[in-house]
Amino acid sequence: MISLIVHGGAWNIPDDTLEAHRTGVAQALQIGWEVLRTGGTSVDAVEQSLRCLEDDGTFDAGCGSHFNAQGVVELDASIMDGKTFRCGAVGAVRRVKNPITLARKIMEDSEHILLVGEGAELFASRNGVPTCDPSALRSPREVKRWESIRATEGFTTKMAFGDHASDTVGVVALDERGNLCAGTSTGGTLNKHPGRIGDSPLIGCGTYCDNAVGGVSTTGWGEGMIKVVMAKTVVDYMDQNGGDAQDAAERGVAHLKRKVDGLGGVIALNVLGTFGVAFNTPRMARAYMSSAMHDPFVAV
Ligand code: ASP
């Protein structure tokens, strides 16, 4: 059994960008699927799918990321290997186009889990992960978006999950050896304070993975996700309910709402390759495929 699930954010995705979201998650799914289909590992599938989403420009990740309150892009990402429990994560990096690759490098080639800011960038340059000028991460669309929300009186980062934007990306994969991996990548919330880190790079909040149970990636208002340790909570629900990924995802989102009035969505994949998706925002971009299906499922 091989299985792959991808998300591209949960918010009120506007009609005129539905096609770009659909195409983006479908393409990332196809890239990861090719890795799994040809016998590759779940870690490779997660990294390759996420790199595709980071490079797409449609999503709040890599080169399409939102600006912080200083008009600068700061990226967060994490990855977790369900077989070994090894994980890697980066926070608030300004000079790395593909933070998921840096997160993987930290997972595989360091004794640490989470590196932030300049220290993470130093690790990148010392370990062969390409760095870039911060201006390479500034998309013209995001310049306009940032200027328009700065003119919105009373704007808070949580409001983005309604009618503004939140396009964090995430992937969970199961390879033919039965190994699971989960990863998440984001530019974080629109107009966030410089140095703010959300749920996405925090293991247990934005990403969690355990070969014995399943893997999860989240998207949504990070401050709420952190308070309920969202990704681990959904994995725990899966552990308790006999591995029902859909039930666990729904319970997770209900818990998020009930406990902290949170907004967002999750993708979940269990060790048997069955999916779960739940969200309480108007829309969520997602796609999945398994060797038990004829065609991929893609929806926004
Ligand atoms: N969870 C991300 C954060 O708070 C944002 C998102 O999912 O769009 O940084």
Side-chain angles (χ1 to χ4, degrees), residues 60 76 161 166-168 186 188-189 196 198-200 219-223:
D60 174 29
D76 303 337
F161 302 93
S166 149
D167 280 324
T168 290
T186 187
T189 44
R196 177 265 189 193
D199 56 320
S200 308
T219 177
W221 178 52
E223 281 69 11

Side-chain angles (χ1 to χ4, degrees), residues 161-181:
F161 302 93
D163 285 334
H164 295 275
S166 149
D167 280 324
T168 290
V169 296
V171 179
V172 191
L174 173 71
D175 66 29
E176 63 180 25
R177 287 162 290 274
N179 291 323
L180 283 158
C181 178

Side-chain angles (χ1 to χ4, degrees), residues 32-101:
W33 185 252
E34 222 25 52
V35 173
L36 295 176
R37 198 187 59 77
T38 54
T41 66
S42 53
V43 176
D44 280 337
V46 166
E47 183 192 5
Q48 292 308 319
S49 291
L50 282 172
R51 284 181 64 98
C52 173
L53 292 158
E54 287 173 343
D55 291 342
D56 185 295
T58 300
F59 302 96
D60 174 29
C63 60
S65 291
H66 301 329
F67 292 2
N68 70 12
Q70 279 176 336
V72 175
V73 169
E74 289 186 335
L75 303 178
D76 303 337
S78 63
I79 188 165
M80 182 165 184
D81 179 340
K83 180 183 178 195
T84 59
F85 270 44
R86 289 178 75 177
C87 20
V90 293
V93 291
R94 298 177 169 200
R95 296 173 183 276
V96 178
K97 204 166 107 330
N98 292 110
I100 194 62
T101 294

Side-chain angles (χ1 to χ4, degrees), residues 33 86 92 115 131 148-149 182 199-201 229 272 297-298:
W33 185 252
R86 289 178 75 177
L115 296 180
T131 52
S148 112
I149 68 103
D199 56 320
S200 308
V229 197
L272 300 174
F297 172 88
V298 182

